[in-house]
Amino acid sequence: PYPDYEALCRRSPGISAPGAVVEYLHRSGTVFYRPGVFDNHLILDLEWALHGVYGLLERRTVLPVLSAQKGVVTRSLLASLVWRDVGEAEQKVFLEMMKQCAMLFPVADDVFIAPALLPSEAACQMQAAAVWREACPDAVVRLEYGFLHEGILRGVLSQIGYRAGIQAQYWRYGLVYYDADLQTTLRLRSTFDDPGETGGRGRITVEAAGPGAARLAAAIADSIQT
């Protein structure tokens, strides 16, 4: 707990700024700490944390099962595959860390999307078309990047996914959903100059169709850029 850490600092000569020290320890990889996250605890055992967080990428047994779920995972599924000997409280810690790293994001109670495990856009073509319904975009925003990294796209999808929820159709790395409040359909697509790569020069295209198209497209573009 952070108060225990502060008490240690008070007993240690020369430490007058615990906040600056913990930030240094976090950035140097000695501990994991984010104010207000995990009940304001410092995570000291990084090996434990990394095993719990990256266990879902284990290729022999875990990854094939999660890939078959097309990117949709639940806490109970992760518990049965990765966290067999981990209590519910620790599972929530791992999930919080995964959300912080944009490894997954929630779309319903204990239901999450893992962007890296989503199928390709081509594999979701029929489902996406059923949501988009051959709409003619009323607003289009294109964001060009000299270097568009997969990590950026995971963060973008996670951020928008909080708004789109479980009803959206997701793929790697894009989505389409209907915003009932604005009565507008939005589609986000990510493309690269080299189609075979997931990094390099590329763009994010936001298209919106409906009465709230301009408002929704601008809001999504702003959220991506900030």
Side-chain angles (χ1 to χ4, degrees):
Y2 193 82
D4 291 357
Y5 159 72
E6 288 185 308
L8 287 172
C9 289
R10 286 194 295 270
R11 296 199 298 269
S12 302
I15 297 182
S16 58
V21 173
V22 76
E23 179 69 14
Y24 169 79
L25 294 173
H26 171 81
R27 289 180 178 273
S28 65
T30 306
V31 304
F32 183 94
Y33 177 73
R34 277 287 178 265
V37 177
F38 310 142
D39 294 327
N40 223 32
H41 280 54
L42 283 70
I43 305 298
L44 306 180
D45 188 348
L46 296 187
E47 184 177 352
W48 165 83
L50 290 174
H51 175 74
V53 169
Y54 289 101
L56 83 167
L57 299 180
E58 196 278 317
R59 293 182 177 275
R60 293 181 57 190
T61 58
V62 178
L63 196 57
V65 175
L66 296 182
S67 296
Q69 300 298 311
K70 298 182 178 180
V72 181
V73 300
T74 62
R75 182 163 63 88
S76 60
L77 177 60
L78 291 174
S80 66
L81 290 173
V82 186
W83 303 327
R84 296 185 185 91
D85 300 321
V86 176
E88 184 174 333
E90 291 178 334
Q91 292 176 22
K92 291 181 178 180
V93 170
F94 291 146
L95 287 170
E96 191 63 37
M97 293 185 77
M98 290 176 177
K99 288 190 287 184
Q100 291 284 321
C101 300
M103 292 183 66
L104 50 75
F105 57 90
V107 291
D109 289 341
D110 278 344
V111 180
F112 306 87
I113 297 291
L117 302 178
L118 287 167
S120 66
E121 182 178 0
C124 302
Q125 190 171 7
M126 291 182 60
Q127 298 91 327
V131 180
W132 185 247
R133 299 191 178 192
E134 299 183 350
C136 181
D138 297 301
V140 179
V141 178
R142 289 186 179 87
L143 303 174
E144 298 283 343
Y145 292 83
F147 183 79
L148 182 58
H149 188 266
E150 189 176 7
I152 296 174
L153 295 174
R154 285 200 302 268
V156 167
L157 205 59
S158 297
Q159 190 174 28
I160 300 174
Y162 278 93
R163 177 170 185 155
I166 193 70
Q167 300 303 321
Q169 177 63 51
Y170 298 92
W171 61 83
R172 192 189 314 127
Y173 286 97
L175 81 163
V176 58
Y177 77 99
Y178 178 72
D179 190 300
D181 293 337
L182 296 176
Q183 298 181 336
T184 298
T185 306
L186 182 130
R187 180 169 64 183
L188 180 142
R189 308 170 86 175
S190 305
T191 55
F192 296 91
D193 287 358
D194 184 346
E197 295 294 328
T198 55
R201 182 176 294 276
R203 66 206 49 80
I204 297 173
T205 304
V206 179
E207 302 169 286
R215 178 180 169 188
L216 183 57
I220 295 298
D222 287 345
S223 69
I224 293 172
Q225 294 180 94
T226 57

